[in-house]
Amino acid sequence: MENRIQELRKAQNWSQAEFATRLGVSRQTVNALERGRYDPSLPLAFKISTILAQPIEGIFIYDPS
Amino acid sequence: MENRIQELRKAQNWSQAEFATRLGVSRQTVNALERGRYDPSLPLAFKISTILAQPIEGIFIYDPS
DNA sequence: CAAATATGTAAAGCATACTTTACAATGAGG
DNA sequence: CCTCATTGTAAAGTATGCTTTACATATTTG
């Protein structure tokens, strides 16, 4: 699943570390999410959604195939 | 995190087994989700959202606390 | 009631999400 | 160039999501 985390994080002028702190996760987790290494848990997706002020569907692009 | 899966599944007159088949997961997983034993992964949440024809935010209620 | 369908639950195992520690590589500003 | 902030990556460990098998307990239907 692709996501717009990096794009939306940069729009706020936040480093990965800064964003990680706001989310309450490690910097490595933010890095892994941006690089598409894995998808966040649903609760974390909601936190990301809240902090980036976008609906989940506006951040994560689900490709059924 | 609470969810409306059971309510929306019943509205379609689907058994847990029928719904599980449509989702491509086990019946036990559907049961566990409805009973709130754990949250689905984000990809599974998207599948549920698609099949129940509701946005993720309309099915799962995130409580930050 | 009897039989069939639906739901709840448990244990063991595999896969994925996330952590900490640590170090390497990139980029920006003095 | 030097330094510092930022980003990328790896390994080992813990936690969570999901599977299969199996069985018990409803609930529905003939």
Side-chain angles (χ1 to χ4, degrees):
Chain A
M1 178 152 40
E2 296 185 1
N3 70 71
R4 302 201 302 134
I5 295 176
Q6 183 169 23
E7 168 194 352
L8 296 169
R9 170 183 62 81
K10 284 184 174 170
Q12 302 293 328
N13 277 309
W14 291 332
S15 67
Q16 291 182 348
E18 167 75 17
F19 185 47
T21 298
R22 288 174 187 269
L23 282 174
V25 299
S26 70
R27 178 183 69 79
Q28 286 80 348
T29 292
V30 168
N31 187 277
L33 294 175
E34 289 191 355
R35 311 216 74 226
R37 287 176 43 76
Y38 50 75
D39 298 317
S41 66
L42 186 56
L44 182 52
F46 267 97
K47 278 188 204 167
I48 293 169
S49 168
T50 300
I51 294 176
L52 293 180
Q54 296 283 331
I56 289 180
E57 289 84 348
I59 301 176
F60 301 94
I61 298 98
Y62 176 61
D63 177 17
S65 64
Chain B
M1 179 152 41
E2 295 186 0
N3 69 70
R4 302 201 303 135
I5 295 177
Q6 182 168 28
E7 167 193 353
L8 296 169
R9 170 183 63 81
K10 284 184 173 170
Q12 300 294 327
N13 276 307
W14 291 332
S15 67
Q16 291 182 348
E18 167 75 18
F19 185 48
T21 298
R22 288 172 187 270
L23 282 175
V25 298
S26 70
R27 178 182 70 80
Q28 286 79 349
T29 293
V30 168
N31 187 276
L33 294 175
E34 289 190 355
R35 312 214 76 233
R37 288 177 44 78
Y38 50 74
D39 297 317
S41 66
L42 186 57
L44 182 52
F46 266 98
K47 278 188 203 165
I48 293 169
S49 166
T50 299
I51 293 176
L52 293 180
Q54 296 283 332
I56 289 180
E57 288 85 349
I59 301 175
F60 301 94
I61 298 97
Y62 176 59
D63 176 19
S65 64

